[in-house]
Structures are given as C-alpha cells and as structure tokens.
Amino acid sequence: PACPRPPLSNRPARRHRESPRQSASSCCFRPHMSGGHGSGGDGKKVGVWGMVVVGFFWVHGGIYGNEAMLMAGPPLYVFIMLGIVPFVYSLPIALIVAELSTAFPEDGGYVVWVREACGQVLGSHHAYWVWVIYVVDAAIYPVLVANYVNTMIPMGETSQGLLAVAIVVLVTAINLLGTDVMVKFNTLLALVSLAPTLVFVFIGLPELEPRRCLVSEGELDSSLLVSWILWLYCGFFSLGTLAGELDSPRRTFLVSIAILFPTVLILNTLPLAVALSLDDVPSHYTAGYFNVLARRLAGTWLDYGFQVGANVCLIGLYNAAALTAERSLFFLINEHYEKDLSALAVRCKQGGRRADVILNYLLSTSKTGVAPLYILFNALIAALLVWAPYTLLVEFSMLLSVPSIFLFMWSFVALRVQQPAVERPFRIPGGIATAVMITVVPIAISISYAAIISTEALIGRPGSRVDKQPLDEDGPEERQPAYQIYSMIGVISFGLLVHAIGGRLSGRRRRVDTIAAAIDARPPAVSNEPSDRDWGGVEGDDTEGETVALNGRQIRGPFSPEVELRTPTQSLTSPTPLSSTMSLLVPSRTNADGYAQVPSKVSDRISAAEES
C-alpha cells in the first residue's frame, strides 16, 4: 500500500491483462505474546534463501505487464526513472526496514513499529487499514489468473469464479502445512515465474541495441509514468513481514537486500531493453506484448512459457498478499483479546473433547507462524471477494496507502527519539536529522499521488487513454478517482465507528468489573446495629437464645425456622400501633420470603380492637 497502481483509466484495454503488483508496505507479523495462542512456533525457520524467495514476490514477482509502461513516455524518460527511483526511494526504505526489523524482531514490519511509536489505539486502526488493503489486494490475483486462462480456454463467469476460488483453496492448504512448506512453495513459484524472463533475455541479448533505449521523442504522461515506477519499486516496505521468524535477522536482512535490490533493478530494465531492440514502436506495447515478442524471438514454446509464468507469478503475488492479510488480522485481534485467547488456548490444551482439539489446532502457531484460524478466515474473505468486479477490487484501497506510509515514516523517526536505548544490530548512520532527511522523498511522493487523485476527482480525468481509446465514463472498466476517496473515507469511518462502540462496551465492562472486584474485596459486614430492614432484639426479651445479625438477615434461636417471633427494630416503650406491639408477642409463621406473618385470627382481633 505504500505505492499506488497506475490509474485504471491509463491502463491497456481489457483484452490484455497486466499483472498487478503487490503493493508494498509491510504488515505481516506475529505479535509479542506468550502462551500457545500467540507464540510464534518452535523456532525460527526462515534463512537468507527463504527470505529471498518470499521477498521476491513482495519486491518484484515478474516482468509480466511491465511492457505497457512504455506507453507512458519515451524510452529515455522511462529508463531514467527506472534508474533513479530505486536509489532515492527503494534503497532508503529497505535500509529503514532493516534497522527497525532488527531492533524490533517481530513479524509484521511497520504495523508493529506504528504500534510501538504511536500507541495501541492508532496502531490498531492502522492494522485494520492494512488488513483491508491486503485482503482486497489478495483477491485481485486469482481473478486475473482466471481471466488469463479464459483467454486460452473460454469459460463462463461462474467457471472463472470457481477457478479463482480453487486457487484460494490451494494456496491456503499449502500455507496450513507450515512455514517450511510455504517457503518451498514460494521457491517453486519464483523459479517458474522467473524462468521465461531469463530465457527471453538470454536469447535476445545478442539483439540488444542500446541506442533505442535513448529515444526521447514522443508523448509523455508524467503522472502515469510515476505511478508505474512507484508500483515497480514499492515492494521493499514488505521485507519486514517475517522479521520474527528469521535466523540472524541482521545478516539475513542485509544479505537479502543485497541480492534483491540489484535483481529487481536488472529485471525491470534489461528485459525492456531487449524488447525495444526487437520492436521500438511504443504504441505496440500493450500488456501481453512480451508474449508476442517471445514468440517472434524463440517460437511458440516461449510464448506459452510466458503465459504459464504470468499465471504462476499471480499465484505467488496472491500468496504474498495473503500472508500479510492473515498476520494483520492476527495482530489486530490479539492487541485487544490476547489474555482471553491465551486462556482459551490453555483450556483447550487441557481438555480432551473433540471441540477442544479443534480449537487448539485453530489457535496454535507452532507450524504456521500465525494461528490457522486467521488463515482460514482470510481465505473465506478472499473466496467471497473474487466474485466482486475486478475494477472495484483494484482501486478500492489504493488511496488508503497514503496515511499508512505517513505513519511508517513517522514511526521510524519517532522511535529514534522515543527509544534511543533500544539495541539496533543494524543502524543507519547519522542522527535525527539524517533520519528525517531519509523520509522526505517517500513522503513527498505519497503527497504527490494523493494530490493527483484529489485533483482528478475534482476536475476529472483526461478525455482519452494512453492507448488512444475513447474514455467511457460509465463503462465497466472505469471508475472515477472519487471512488478511491469515498472508499478510503468509508474504511476509516467504519473503523472509528467500531472503535466508538467497542469503547463504550469495554468501558461498561470495566465499570462492572470494578464494582464486582470491590464487592469481592469487602469483608462480610457483621454488626449489631439494626438497619431499616433488620429484625433486631426486643427490649426485655428474655427468651432462650440470642439474635444474631448476618448480612442483614436474622437467625433467631432456638426457635425453628418456621415459627418465629416477629421482632421489628423498635422498643416496646415507644408509641406504636397495637398491631405492632402484639406482633412482638404472638408466634407467627414465616412466608416464603422469610418474614413472619401474624396468624389470621389474632390479626383480626387486633384490627377489631384498633377500630374500637
């Protein structure tokens, strides 16, 4: 979410699908907890190789769809942006992530850091935003796989939806097998996704003509170009996702960044340079044109390889987004219900019923790093969202990334000030001034993107797309920028509403608990002083036994519980009605509530005497 996807109106036509990238900011984590529910597993399992193959889909994923970037401007401008942005934007972010991840080695990256810097309330709202961003983002990729398959094997909408659900189920089942299996699965996905690109570059490198990359003539759409470039390089925010599961976090982070950063830089530039050497007409470069060039360069087999690679890439991107969504929800729930869930987990371990066994499995993190309950719940949400319109999913949470990146940058600087004594195995050289300077460029870019969206919402988008197709304001492909604003406001407002309701309920519960605790802590009141409701002793009463006051109720002995003297707390010498005086002397039977009742015959006589 640290960086937006290119505006939908400037994307290629529907018949060619680009591969949306994993937007970036990290939110995958395991909260600091104790007990079976929150523990992160039996040991740390992710090394350098695991971090590289998992991180590959956070920071890159594949070149599929990148060819359409040439429609945003002349090759020279494209390659300048591709060469500059990673050093002024991605590299500082990667170093910030490395510092904070080694200082706070918990799964989740900047969701954890925002909580540390800004407190539980704002941290919880932020975790909720990030969960919404990623659970919606994850649902995009199975839909795109189904659309790709539909271009090769025509299917109906229902069949496409079922295929998307099947992908969700497959990836969920693999993630439930544990972190080690998930890493191996990502290794396979990364190799299959990357292989067609490497073959394309290897075969096409002899055809390379660098001069074609230096052409500066042509139409420039700066906002679209900036969006594309940021989309390519924003994934480094996510590298803090598995900080709590790494072996030697400092070494793993630094080596992984040293591998991933140049890899991403090369993959974003070299295949594009080879493609321009084969065809230097920018108008040809709609999404999917790499397939055409692959067929021209090596034959049909490489074209099919690109199609398979694109689909595998999308599955890997879904898995990366799902990991973050699962851990976002895990963090959010455990921030508020950690004690209750930990107690429930302990009871389930001690119980022997089938329901206890199932709950113990759902709350355990020994294999998966996050409780399977959250994996299954997010899979259910994704399986429902894949039936939603594709364009609604794409732009739903784009603008919500802007406040997230602000909080990330603020947390980096704030933690330098608030917790300077925290050990940082890796620390960016310099003091507070350096930390502030590092955040300037990402913040400026995020503000610029928010300004672009707001301006387009107010004055409208340009009247045509970069692919020269007329803009249909009411068409199914098109949603106005105001939709992004409304969706962001809606998500934030819903979170505030839930917070207000939860605050009132929790406040009422705290008051009740406080009163109950005070009552439990108060010793039993034993007093001979009669209260308004007490039955005290009677002056001059010389009957056997003694009246004892216990918590406002009297037990008089040696009389039986059924037959007792009614003895109100009033002296016989005081002026009282005759009925009250007689009630002191006349045996009576108790009602169901324990109070004595004067026998009816005596009562009638007393009433007659009073009337006379």
Side-chain angles (χ1 to χ4, degrees), residues 183-206:
V183 169
K184 294 176 182 178
F185 178 59
N186 272 269
T187 301
L188 177 63
L189 295 178
L191 293 176
V192 175
S193 173
L194 194 57
T197 301
L198 297 178
V199 173
F200 177 77
V201 171
F202 179 77
I203 297 177
L205 203 57

Side-chain angles (χ1 to χ4, degrees), residues 519-527 550-551:
I519 292 174
D520 293 340
R522 185 178 64 184
V526 178
S527 174
L550 287 176
N551 295 328

Side-chain angles (χ1 to χ4, degrees), residues 98-114:
E99 175 177 323
L100 294 178
S101 295
T102 54
F104 305 93
E106 301 178 32
D107 281 7
Y110 87 140
V111 174
V112 175
W113 310 327
V114 169

Side-chain angles (χ1 to χ4, degrees), residues 386-428:
V386 297
W387 299 94
Y390 165 76
T391 53
L392 184 148
L393 297 174
V394 167
E395 298 200 4
F396 180 80
S397 57
M398 286 170 60
L399 197 57
L400 191 60
S401 64
V402 175
S404 295
I405 182 63
F406 289 166
L407 288 175
F408 167 75
M409 294 300 174
W410 166 261
S411 299
F412 168 60
V413 177
L415 288 173
R416 279 279 187 102
V417 176
Q418 297 171 2
Q419 303 186 34
V422 171
E423 181 182 359
R424 290 169 167 81
F426 170 76
R427 181 185 176 96
I428 299 174

Side-chain angles (χ1 to χ4, degrees), residues 489-539:
I489 295 174
V491 170
I492 294 176
S493 299
F494 182 76
L496 293 173
L497 177 63
V498 172
H499 177 80
I501 296 174
R504 289 183 65 88
L505 294 177
S506 62
R508 181 177 301 176
R509 179 181 177 183
R510 284 194 300 269
R511 288 194 296 271
V512 172
D513 292 343
T514 301
I515 295 172
I519 292 174
D520 293 340
R522 185 178 64 184
V526 178
S527 174
N528 292 327
E529 293 292 332
S531 64
D532 292 340
R533 298 173 52 190
D534 288 342
W535 297 104
V538 180
E539 288 186 14

